[in-house]
Amino acid sequence: MAQATGRGRVVGNYLVGRKIGSGSFSIVWHARHRVHGTEVAIKEIVTGRLNKKLQDSLMSEIFILKRINHPNIIRLHDIVEVPGKIHLVLEYCKGGDLSMYITHHGCVLEAIAKHFMQQLAVGLQVLRDNNLIHRDLKPQNLLLSTNERNAVLKIADFGFARSLQPWGLAETLCGSPLYMAPEIMQLQKYDAKADLWSVGAILFQLVTGKTPFNGNNQIQLLQNIVKSTELLFPVENNYLTADCKDLCLKLLRHNPAERVTFQEFFNHPFLSQGQPNEPLRSQGILGDGYPFFESSPGSTDESFQEDCLPFFLDDDSSGPEGSPSFEKKRSSMKSGYGFSPSAKDTGEQSNPLNKVNFTSKYSGTRHKLDDSSFRHESSKVSGETLHEPHKSMDQRSTSTHSRVGDTLELNDQDYVLVSGPPMDVSFSASTSKPNHIPYKLESPPLIPFTSNTTSTAPVPIVGATNINVYHVGSLESQTSGPGTSPGSIDVGDALEQPSSHCIPRIKSLQQCASAITELVHEKTEAGRHLEAFSIQLVILAIWKQALHICHTQAASAMEGSPSQETSRLRSSTSKKRGTSDTEESPEDISSEIEREFLQEVEHAEELSNVIEPGSTEMPDAMETIFQAALALGRRGGVDELMGEMESAANLYSNAVCLLIFLLVEAPSLILNPPFSLTNSDRYRLRTYIDFLRNRQGYSRSQRMALLRSKDQA
Ligand SMILES: Nc1ncnc2c1ncn2[C@@H]1O[C@H](COP(=O)(O)OP(=O)(O)OP(=O)(O)O)[C@@H](O)[C@H]1O
């Protein structure tokens, strides 16, 4: 029990002394055992903002660490909890952290770098054996037992450090994560190999005194990484050995698939002691010789293989998208809306100690679509919810309870992105076109979706050639109808898929976000905070998607072969700068989206604070959005009947916007559980959209006619 004493604070059995350092969520104190005088470091973490379940998760992970007793892993002696705080009683490292060492020494001799790298490799091996992935390796997280050159290096701050930083993305976006793997920066899916990039950056800095890539912010840094075709060592470091350079090069490969594997890293000649090609393990550096308190049963050589990683790897690479295995795997993923699971979370699958369930599922709530205004004359599709009776939607209904804070908390965890099929589409909410449904409603058209088509994965943005372009030409003609703004592509042109072009796609996402934001406000005002929150998470997923597009665009723009769109953007930006319709540069757009995203994160946080923690079932946001669209349509119908044509047209337009979101954008967002639509769902959505747009067009034309007759009178 921590308590304040007259002369100094006491935490558990420790007398707290001076402050050693501080992190984003912690203060680290020097302390001594009251009886033995043993020095320790006490890391004080304010947990007030963490909900109970997250705290449990933190504790469970801490307990894993507590069981690891290894010289290259910071020892966790004890945990002292007081209300609102957790104190981690850690082994004290009087050498401080590696960043201090580097600051003090500048670049170090290769022999010293090798010494640190060997220890880091051993520590990483221990983590792997215990199903842990670090994800935040940086010199500040590598502590040294002493100030001497032969100091023992200890890895500190494991996965729980990430779970303590639910808003770390904000920091990431604002700061410059010098040691972060590019796949993480690009919000792509990543695996344990991301740690190896960080190792490469640390090694490079040790031997050269500089980080391999720099930038004032994440985007700049990423651009610098992506545009670099070869790793450049400062000329003054020409003396570096081939082995050292080779290891840096292999660790700092942009493409994780080309990056050295753990096994190769462990076996690299630079790490070998004396006998070049002898693996570390056989030298007794790995595994043997150190008293592991607890070692996972899988810590055999096989477990070193990349394809046997205990972490969540390229989940969907194991089978074609849309294949049963793919669907199964995707639906077993755990995370919050819009956020793919973290390595930590997915590690739960193989990590028996990590029992905390972060699952957030859609609820199984069913609503009846009972408004006749949605029954198309010949349609037989009304009278159902968006879900009914489709299994793909039903899969989202589970009895698992989730708590909002958990869902929200997960938003800064790993990002799983795979390529999918883009298509040109954007929509103009003001567009109205005559209705015609050329296919027979009684028999929904068999849509030739490729397996990709139903993917929940974000789509590649520009220049993707592996696209199975699919046009739903039958739904609406390719011609623009009255009210279509110039340059906008009507929804009917390519109804099913999000645009493959950066700017239209972002605009489309912005429109969706703004329509859904209104819904959040409505729900909030109605006191339906949980619903508002669940929808807010969808908004976060939308912005996250937009961010990903910007980052991908920025990266592709730096790859030496700017896409047509980038060139178009650039030329149009330079030509039009100063004019009212100047297109923003990708960088401007990017910053704007980052701002929006952060604002929405804050809003989500505010909402989560209003919600009482408890085992409340998370409402199904997609169902809520669907029902809201239907309600808008119904209100439009009432207004139309009442002769309120302008209002009717607006309501129809808003309803269309939400339905298009469900049809076009939602399936490509990173949502968990994944959101997918069956062909029948799509057919039904298209029918409603078509119907609503027909009514919208009609209302508009009536309104125009009324205005004209007033003018004439
Ligand atoms: N066991 C320890 N012994 C000695 N110094 C420590 C110990 N743990 C942490 N420190 C010092 O305290 C500093 C802050 O540590 P902490 O883990 O709280 O934050 P961080 O990892 O540096 O930052 P963040 O958590 O924001 O990533 C460290 O950089 C290190 O210098």
Side-chain angles (χ1 to χ4, degrees), residues 667-690:
S668 70
L669 295 179
I670 311 167
L671 296 165
N672 244 301
F675 177 75
S676 64
L677 295 167
T678 62
N679 286 349
S680 298
D681 292 330
R682 289 172 185 274
Y683 168 74
R684 188 160 48 252
L685 285 169
R686 284 199 311 271
T687 306
Y688 293 164
I689 291 168
D690 200 44

PDB file of all heavy atoms in Angstrom, residues 667-690:
ATOM      1  N   PRO A 667     -17.730  -1.062 -46.232  1.00  0.00           N
ATOM      2  CA  PRO A 667     -17.062  -2.363 -46.378  1.00  0.00           C
ATOM      3  C   PRO A 667     -15.557  -2.257 -46.549  1.00  0.00           C
ATOM      4  O   PRO A 667     -14.849  -3.235 -46.377  1.00  0.00           O
ATOM      5  CB  PRO A 667     -17.711  -2.965 -47.632  1.00  0.00           C
ATOM      6  CG  PRO A 667     -19.003  -2.243 -47.789  1.00  0.00           C
ATOM      7  CD  PRO A 667     -18.744  -0.853 -47.281  1.00  0.00           C
ATOM      8  N   SER A 668     -15.072  -1.079 -46.897  1.00  0.00           N
ATOM      9  CA  SER A 668     -13.623  -0.984 -47.091  1.00  0.00           C
ATOM     10  C   SER A 668     -12.928  -0.401 -45.864  1.00  0.00           C
ATOM     11  O   SER A 668     -11.718  -0.240 -45.864  1.00  0.00           O
ATOM     12  CB  SER A 668     -13.303  -0.140 -48.321  1.00  0.00           C
ATOM     13  OG  SER A 668     -13.626   1.200 -48.061  1.00  0.00           O
ATOM     14  N   LEU A 669     -13.677  -0.078 -44.838  1.00  0.00           N
ATOM     15  CA  LEU A 669     -13.042   0.462 -43.631  1.00  0.00           C
ATOM     16  C   LEU A 669     -12.502  -0.670 -42.772  1.00  0.00           C
ATOM     17  O   LEU A 669     -12.967  -1.804 -42.862  1.00  0.00           O
ATOM     18  CB  LEU A 669     -14.054   1.267 -42.814  1.00  0.00           C
ATOM     19  CG  LEU A 669     -14.613   2.532 -43.463  1.00  0.00           C
ATOM     20  CD1 LEU A 669     -15.618   3.189 -42.537  1.00  0.00           C
ATOM     21  CD2 LEU A 669     -13.500   3.503 -43.817  1.00  0.00           C
ATOM     22  N   ILE A 670     -11.561  -0.289 -41.944  1.00  0.00           N
ATOM     23  CA  ILE A 670     -11.035  -1.298 -41.026  1.00  0.00           C
ATOM     24  C   ILE A 670     -11.943  -1.301 -39.815  1.00  0.00           C
ATOM     25  O   ILE A 670     -11.823  -0.460 -38.932  1.00  0.00           O
ATOM     26  CB  ILE A 670      -9.614  -0.956 -40.590  1.00  0.00           C
ATOM     27  CG1 ILE A 670      -8.769  -0.613 -41.799  1.00  0.00           C
ATOM     28  CG2 ILE A 670      -9.001  -2.105 -39.817  1.00  0.00           C
ATOM     29  CD1 ILE A 670      -7.469   0.039 -41.419  1.00  0.00           C
ATOM     30  N   LEU A 671     -12.862  -2.205 -39.833  1.00  0.00           N
ATOM     31  CA  LEU A 671     -13.812  -2.291 -38.733  1.00  0.00           C
ATOM     32  C   LEU A 671     -13.708  -3.665 -38.120  1.00  0.00           C
ATOM     33  O   LEU A 671     -13.420  -4.628 -38.803  1.00  0.00           O
ATOM     34  CB  LEU A 671     -15.236  -2.089 -39.259  1.00  0.00           C
ATOM     35  CG  LEU A 671     -15.545  -0.723 -39.868  1.00  0.00           C
ATOM     36  CD1 LEU A 671     -16.829  -0.768 -40.652  1.00  0.00           C
ATOM     37  CD2 LEU A 671     -15.626   0.324 -38.780  1.00  0.00           C
ATOM     38  N   ASN A 672     -13.959  -3.673 -36.871  1.00  0.00           N
ATOM     39  CA  ASN A 672     -13.968  -4.975 -36.241  1.00  0.00           C
ATOM     40  C   ASN A 672     -15.154  -5.141 -35.350  1.00  0.00           C
ATOM     41  O   ASN A 672     -15.358  -4.322 -34.474  1.00  0.00           O
ATOM     42  CB  ASN A 672     -12.696  -5.183 -35.428  1.00  0.00           C
ATOM     43  CG  ASN A 672     -11.914  -6.298 -36.017  1.00  0.00           C
ATOM     44  OD1 ASN A 672     -12.432  -7.402 -36.101  1.00  0.00           O
ATOM     45  ND2 ASN A 672     -10.710  -6.009 -36.452  1.00  0.00           N
ATOM     46  N   PRO A 673     -15.954  -6.135 -35.537  1.00  0.00           N
ATOM     47  CA  PRO A 673     -15.792  -7.159 -36.550  1.00  0.00           C
ATOM     48  C   PRO A 673     -15.910  -6.533 -37.940  1.00  0.00           C
ATOM     49  O   PRO A 673     -16.539  -5.489 -38.090  1.00  0.00           O
ATOM     50  CB  PRO A 673     -16.953  -8.115 -36.297  1.00  0.00           C
ATOM     51  CG  PRO A 673     -17.529  -7.709 -34.995  1.00  0.00           C
ATOM     52  CD  PRO A 673     -17.121  -6.317 -34.721  1.00  0.00           C
ATOM     53  N   PRO A 674     -15.347  -7.176 -38.916  1.00  0.00           N
ATOM     54  CA  PRO A 674     -15.400  -6.589 -40.244  1.00  0.00           C
ATOM     55  C   PRO A 674     -16.845  -6.420 -40.698  1.00  0.00           C
ATOM     56  O   PRO A 674     -17.699  -7.223 -40.368  1.00  0.00           O
ATOM     57  CB  PRO A 674     -14.681  -7.604 -41.133  1.00  0.00           C
ATOM     58  CG  PRO A 674     -14.032  -8.551 -40.231  1.00  0.00           C
ATOM     59  CD  PRO A 674     -14.711  -8.494 -38.904  1.00  0.00           C
ATOM     60  N   PHE A 675     -17.048  -5.396 -41.451  1.00  0.00           N
ATOM     61  CA  PHE A 675     -18.381  -5.157 -41.969  1.00  0.00           C
ATOM     62  C   PHE A 675     -18.409  -5.634 -43.408  1.00  0.00           C
ATOM     63  O   PHE A 675     -17.578  -5.238 -44.222  1.00  0.00           O
ATOM     64  CB  PHE A 675     -18.677  -3.657 -41.905  1.00  0.00           C
ATOM     65  CG  PHE A 675     -20.008  -3.282 -42.482  1.00  0.00           C
ATOM     66  CD1 PHE A 675     -21.177  -3.538 -41.782  1.00  0.00           C
ATOM     67  CD2 PHE A 675     -20.100  -2.677 -43.718  1.00  0.00           C
ATOM     68  CE1 PHE A 675     -22.412  -3.192 -42.306  1.00  0.00           C
ATOM     69  CE2 PHE A 675     -21.321  -2.329 -44.248  1.00  0.00           C
ATOM     70  CZ  PHE A 675     -22.479  -2.590 -43.545  1.00  0.00           C
ATOM     71  N   SER A 676     -19.340  -6.501 -43.686  1.00  0.00           N
ATOM     72  CA  SER A 676     -19.428  -6.953 -45.080  1.00  0.00           C
ATOM     73  C   SER A 676     -20.891  -7.004 -45.489  1.00  0.00           C
ATOM     74  O   SER A 676     -21.787  -7.067 -44.658  1.00  0.00           O
ATOM     75  CB  SER A 676     -18.776  -8.328 -45.232  1.00  0.00           C
ATOM     76  OG  SER A 676     -19.493  -9.269 -44.485  1.00  0.00           O
ATOM     77  N   LEU A 677     -21.088  -6.950 -46.747  1.00  0.00           N
ATOM     78  CA  LEU A 677     -22.448  -6.976 -47.290  1.00  0.00           C
ATOM     79  C   LEU A 677     -22.571  -8.167 -48.227  1.00  0.00           C
ATOM     80  O   LEU A 677     -21.657  -8.436 -49.005  1.00  0.00           O
ATOM     81  CB  LEU A 677     -22.711  -5.695 -48.090  1.00  0.00           C
ATOM     82  CG  LEU A 677     -22.712  -4.378 -47.318  1.00  0.00           C
ATOM     83  CD1 LEU A 677     -22.660  -3.211 -48.278  1.00  0.00           C
ATOM     84  CD2 LEU A 677     -23.923  -4.271 -46.417  1.00  0.00           C
ATOM     85  N   THR A 678     -23.672  -8.813 -48.148  1.00  0.00           N
ATOM     86  CA  THR A 678     -23.921  -9.865 -49.137  1.00  0.00           C
ATOM     87  C   THR A 678     -24.435  -9.189 -50.406  1.00  0.00           C
ATOM     88  O   THR A 678     -24.777  -8.000 -50.395  1.00  0.00           O
ATOM     89  CB  THR A 678     -24.998 -10.840 -48.650  1.00  0.00           C
ATOM     90  OG1 THR A 678     -26.208 -10.091 -48.473  1.00  0.00           O
ATOM     91  CG2 THR A 678     -24.607 -11.504 -47.339  1.00  0.00           C
ATOM     92  N   ASN A 679     -24.510  -9.962 -51.445  1.00  0.00           N
ATOM     93  CA  ASN A 679     -25.068  -9.404 -52.676  1.00  0.00           C
ATOM     94  C   ASN A 679     -26.483  -8.903 -52.444  1.00  0.00           C
ATOM     95  O   ASN A 679     -26.894  -7.888 -53.008  1.00  0.00           O
ATOM     96  CB  ASN A 679     -25.056 -10.454 -53.781  1.00  0.00           C
ATOM     97  CG  ASN A 679     -23.641 -10.670 -54.284  1.00  0.00           C
ATOM     98  OD1 ASN A 679     -22.749  -9.897 -53.946  1.00  0.00           O
ATOM     99  ND2 ASN A 679     -23.434 -11.718 -55.056  1.00  0.00           N
ATOM    100  N   SER A 680     -27.219  -9.612 -51.629  1.00  0.00           N
ATOM    101  CA  SER A 680     -28.591  -9.175 -51.368  1.00  0.00           C
ATOM    102  C   SER A 680     -28.613  -7.868 -50.592  1.00  0.00           C
ATOM    103  O   SER A 680     -29.444  -7.003 -50.847  1.00  0.00           O
ATOM    104  CB  SER A 680     -29.345 -10.224 -50.556  1.00  0.00           C
ATOM    105  OG  SER A 680     -29.409 -11.397 -51.276  1.00  0.00           O
ATOM    106  N   ASP A 681     -27.675  -7.739 -49.632  1.00  0.00           N
ATOM    107  CA  ASP A 681     -27.579  -6.470 -48.903  1.00  0.00           C
ATOM    108  C   ASP A 681     -27.343  -5.333 -49.894  1.00  0.00           C
ATOM    109  O   ASP A 681     -27.968  -4.280 -49.827  1.00  0.00           O
ATOM    110  CB  ASP A 681     -26.388  -6.478 -47.931  1.00  0.00           C
ATOM    111  CG  ASP A 681     -26.560  -7.452 -46.776  1.00  0.00           C
ATOM    112  OD1 ASP A 681     -27.706  -7.692 -46.387  1.00  0.00           O
ATOM    113  OD2 ASP A 681     -25.537  -7.953 -46.280  1.00  0.00           O
ATOM    114  N   ARG A 682     -26.402  -5.608 -50.780  1.00  0.00           N
ATOM    115  CA  ARG A 682     -26.052  -4.569 -51.753  1.00  0.00           C
ATOM    116  C   ARG A 682     -27.234  -4.234 -52.638  1.00  0.00           C
ATOM    117  O   ARG A 682     -27.510  -3.078 -52.941  1.00  0.00           O
ATOM    118  CB  ARG A 682     -24.889  -5.032 -52.626  1.00  0.00           C
ATOM    119  CG  ARG A 682     -23.599  -5.082 -51.888  1.00  0.00           C
ATOM    120  CD  ARG A 682     -22.517  -5.738 -52.728  1.00  0.00           C
ATOM    121  NE  ARG A 682     -21.317  -5.858 -51.930  1.00  0.00           N
ATOM    122  CZ  ARG A 682     -20.410  -4.902 -51.807  1.00  0.00           C
ATOM    123  NH1 ARG A 682     -20.553  -3.780 -52.477  1.00  0.00           N
ATOM    124  NH2 ARG A 682     -19.380  -5.073 -51.029  1.00  0.00           N
ATOM    125  N   TYR A 683     -27.879  -5.281 -53.050  1.00  0.00           N
ATOM    126  CA  TYR A 683     -29.031  -5.103 -53.919  1.00  0.00           C
ATOM    127  C   TYR A 683     -30.085  -4.251 -53.212  1.00  0.00           C
ATOM    128  O   TYR A 683     -30.641  -3.306 -53.767  1.00  0.00           O
ATOM    129  CB  TYR A 683     -29.600  -6.474 -54.280  1.00  0.00           C
ATOM    130  CG  TYR A 683     -30.961  -6.407 -54.931  1.00  0.00           C
ATOM    131  CD1 TYR A 683     -31.090  -5.988 -56.257  1.00  0.00           C
ATOM    132  CD2 TYR A 683     -32.108  -6.744 -54.216  1.00  0.00           C
ATOM    133  CE1 TYR A 683     -32.333  -5.919 -56.848  1.00  0.00           C
ATOM    134  CE2 TYR A 683     -33.348  -6.672 -54.800  1.00  0.00           C
ATOM    135  CZ  TYR A 683     -33.465  -6.267 -56.122  1.00  0.00           C
ATOM    136  OH  TYR A 683     -34.691  -6.186 -56.688  1.00  0.00           O
ATOM    137  N   ARG A 684     -30.287  -4.575 -51.930  1.00  0.00           N
ATOM    138  CA  ARG A 684     -31.309  -3.851 -51.186  1.00  0.00           C
ATOM    139  C   ARG A 684     -30.896  -2.384 -51.009  1.00  0.00           C
ATOM    140  O   ARG A 684     -31.688  -1.470 -51.219  1.00  0.00           O
ATOM    141  CB  ARG A 684     -31.510  -4.506 -49.821  1.00  0.00           C
ATOM    142  CG  ARG A 684     -32.683  -3.923 -49.064  1.00  0.00           C
ATOM    143  CD  ARG A 684     -33.193  -4.837 -47.977  1.00  0.00           C
ATOM    144  NE  ARG A 684     -32.157  -5.362 -47.132  1.00  0.00           N
ATOM    145  CZ  ARG A 684     -31.737  -6.628 -47.147  1.00  0.00           C
ATOM    146  NH1 ARG A 684     -32.272  -7.497 -47.973  1.00  0.00           N
ATOM    147  NH2 ARG A 684     -30.791  -7.028 -46.335  1.00  0.00           N
ATOM    148  N   LEU A 685     -29.636  -2.200 -50.665  1.00  0.00           N
ATOM    149  CA  LEU A 685     -29.169  -0.820 -50.484  1.00  0.00           C
ATOM    150  C   LEU A 685     -29.292  -0.033 -51.781  1.00  0.00           C
ATOM    151  O   LEU A 685     -29.723   1.120 -51.793  1.00  0.00           O
ATOM    152  CB  LEU A 685     -27.716  -0.824 -49.994  1.00  0.00           C
ATOM    153  CG  LEU A 685     -27.515  -1.204 -48.526  1.00  0.00           C
ATOM    154  CD1 LEU A 685     -26.045  -1.436 -48.218  1.00  0.00           C
ATOM    155  CD2 LEU A 685     -28.060  -0.108 -47.610  1.00  0.00           C
ATOM    156  N   ARG A 686     -28.891  -0.680 -52.867  1.00  0.00           N
ATOM    157  CA  ARG A 686     -28.975   0.028 -54.152  1.00  0.00           C
ATOM    158  C   ARG A 686     -30.416   0.383 -54.469  1.00  0.00           C
ATOM    159  O   ARG A 686     -30.713   1.456 -54.979  1.00  0.00           O
ATOM    160  CB  ARG A 686     -28.381  -0.833 -55.269  1.00  0.00           C
ATOM    161  CG  ARG A 686     -26.874  -0.864 -55.267  1.00  0.00           C
ATOM    162  CD  ARG A 686     -26.345  -1.308 -56.616  1.00  0.00           C
ATOM    163  NE  ARG A 686     -26.989  -2.517 -57.101  1.00  0.00           N
ATOM    164  CZ  ARG A 686     -26.571  -3.739 -56.849  1.00  0.00           C
ATOM    165  NH1 ARG A 686     -25.513  -3.918 -56.094  1.00  0.00           N
ATOM    166  NH2 ARG A 686     -27.215  -4.774 -57.335  1.00  0.00           N
ATOM    167  N   THR A 687     -31.299  -0.541 -54.161  1.00  0.00           N
ATOM    168  CA  THR A 687     -32.708  -0.294 -54.454  1.00  0.00           C
ATOM    169  C   THR A 687     -33.219   0.900 -53.650  1.00  0.00           C
ATOM    170  O   THR A 687     -33.904   1.776 -54.167  1.00  0.00           O
ATOM    171  CB  THR A 687     -33.538  -1.546 -54.106  1.00  0.00           C
ATOM    172  OG1 THR A 687     -32.968  -2.644 -54.798  1.00  0.00           O
ATOM    173  CG2 THR A 687     -34.987  -1.388 -54.522  1.00  0.00           C
ATOM    174  N   TYR A 688     -32.839   0.924 -52.374  1.00  0.00           N
ATOM    175  CA  TYR A 688     -33.283   2.044 -51.540  1.00  0.00           C
ATOM    176  C   TYR A 688     -32.681   3.358 -52.045  1.00  0.00           C
ATOM    177  O   TYR A 688     -33.360   4.381 -52.097  1.00  0.00           O
ATOM    178  CB  TYR A 688     -32.857   1.829 -50.074  1.00  0.00           C
ATOM    179  CG  TYR A 688     -33.531   0.674 -49.388  1.00  0.00           C
ATOM    180  CD1 TYR A 688     -33.033   0.163 -48.203  1.00  0.00           C
ATOM    181  CD2 TYR A 688     -34.680   0.090 -49.915  1.00  0.00           C
ATOM    182  CE1 TYR A 688     -33.639  -0.891 -47.557  1.00  0.00           C
ATOM    183  CE2 TYR A 688     -35.286  -0.971 -49.277  1.00  0.00           C
ATOM    184  CZ  TYR A 688     -34.765  -1.463 -48.106  1.00  0.00           C
ATOM    185  OH  TYR A 688     -35.357  -2.509 -47.479  1.00  0.00           O
ATOM    186  N   ILE A 689     -31.397   3.273 -52.353  1.00  0.00           N
ATOM    187  CA  ILE A 689     -30.737   4.495 -52.830  1.00  0.00           C
ATOM    188  C   ILE A 689     -31.446   4.995 -54.091  1.00  0.00           C
ATOM    189  O   ILE A 689     -31.763   6.172 -54.230  1.00  0.00           O
ATOM    190  CB  ILE A 689     -29.237   4.233 -53.110  1.00  0.00           C
ATOM    191  CG1 ILE A 689     -28.497   3.998 -51.796  1.00  0.00           C
ATOM    192  CG2 ILE A 689     -28.608   5.388 -53.877  1.00  0.00           C
ATOM    193  CD1 ILE A 689     -27.089   3.441 -51.961  1.00  0.00           C
ATOM    194  N   ASP A 690     -31.677   4.069 -54.957  1.00  0.00           N
ATOM    195  CA  ASP A 690     -32.308   4.409 -56.218  1.00  0.00           C
ATOM    196  C   ASP A 690     -33.688   5.021 -55.980  1.00  0.00           C
ATOM    197  O   ASP A 690     -34.055   6.042 -56.553  1.00  0.00           O
ATOM    198  CB  ASP A 690     -32.415   3.124 -57.045  1.00  0.00           C
ATOM    199  CG  ASP A 690     -32.596   3.440 -58.507  1.00  0.00           C
ATOM    200  OD1 ASP A 690     -31.883   4.341 -58.994  1.00  0.00           O
ATOM    201  OD2 ASP A 690     -33.443   2.802 -59.144  1.00  0.00           O
TER     202      ASP A 690
END
